Amino acid sequence: MRRLTAGLFSSVDGVVESPHLWQLDSFDAELGAGMGAMIRRVDTVLLGRHGYMEWAQYWPAAEPTDPFGSFINPVRKFVASRTLEGDLGWTNASLMDAPLEEFVETLKQTDGGDIAVCASISLVRQLMFAGLLDSLTLMIHPVVAGAGRHLFEGTDPMTSLELQEVSTTSKGNVLASYGLRR
């Protein structure tokens, strides 16, 4: 069975939205290497509509030498949307042909590498609480963002997690991976 993973930049106060506004100078080589290790295992990406629309405007025009651009542009991408239709226009991007949880359950049964949820806070939450997310990596930057969307909300159910892996970078980033405690 394929693994479903997600990785989100996070501030110490739990903000995961718009990390470019608060990452400042904390992105370091070790963080880049950690991200590289995560994406090397991935051959399929899941995106929500908002993330897809934002990324489809930016990444196809990225410099060919950009490490993330060289990953995200050719990789197979499935988009969860109730409003988008037809050809999505970005290389290897298509709409999911079933409801999210059903689509992911079926996809996890196919052959291939890891499946990563990217650019979608709501998909990460939905798939985690559905028991489908195998690993959530939070890349916690040493900053208090103060404002922005958090991954978890006060109405979420109590959910027990287990630490899978943790490391710290020289600039104080903490990469912590969690899975659902079974």
Side-chain angles (χ1 to χ4, degrees), residues 159-179:
T159 304
S160 185
L161 305 175
E162 61 186 11
L163 182 64
Q164 295 171 331
E165 187 176 349
V166 66
S167 64
T168 306
T169 73
S170 59
K171 287 196 174 184
N173 297 296
V174 175
L175 285 74
S177 297
Y178 298 92

Side-chain angles (χ1 to χ4, degrees), residues 18-136:
S18 302
H20 63 284
L21 298 176
W22 44 260
Q23 278 179 321
L24 308 171
D25 64 350
S26 64
F27 198 100
D28 53 26
E30 298 108 317
L31 183 58
M35 289 182 61
M38 283 188 285
I39 65 175
R40 274 192 291 280
R41 297 184 297 263
V42 172
D43 67 8
T44 306
V45 167
L46 307 180
L47 296 157
R49 180 179 58 85
H50 291 288
Y52 170 79
M53 292 174 68
E54 184 178 303
W55 281 22
Q57 291 177 21
Y58 179 81
W59 286 112
E63 293 294 324
T65 57
D66 183 286
F68 192 76
S70 64
F71 158 73
I72 197 65
N73 284 318
V75 76
R76 184 81 175 128
K77 296 170 280 291
F78 291 104
V79 181
S81 174
R82 293 183 198 100
T83 58
L84 295 176
E85 296 177 346
D87 180 24
L88 296 179
W90 188 9
T91 304
N92 290 327
S94 58
L95 292 168
M96 293 182 189
D97 60 3
L100 176 64
E101 293 173 21
E102 179 184 328
F103 183 87
V104 171
E105 286 175 353
T106 301
L107 185 61
K108 286 180 74 169
Q109 300 300 320
T110 63
D111 292 331
D114 284 358
I115 305 161
V117 182
C118 293
S120 180
I121 297 166
S122 60
L123 286 189
V124 171
R125 290 181 72 254
Q126 185 175 346
L127 293 167
M128 179 177 196
F129 293 128
L132 294 169
L133 190 65
D134 298 297
S135 183
L136 169 63

Side-chain angles (χ1 to χ4, degrees), residues 3-22:
R3 286 177 10 105
L4 179 64
T5 67
L8 296 170
F9 295 117
S10 176
S11 64
V12 171
D13 58 336
V15 173
V16 293
E17 177 182 46
S18 302
H20 63 284
L21 298 176
W22 44 260

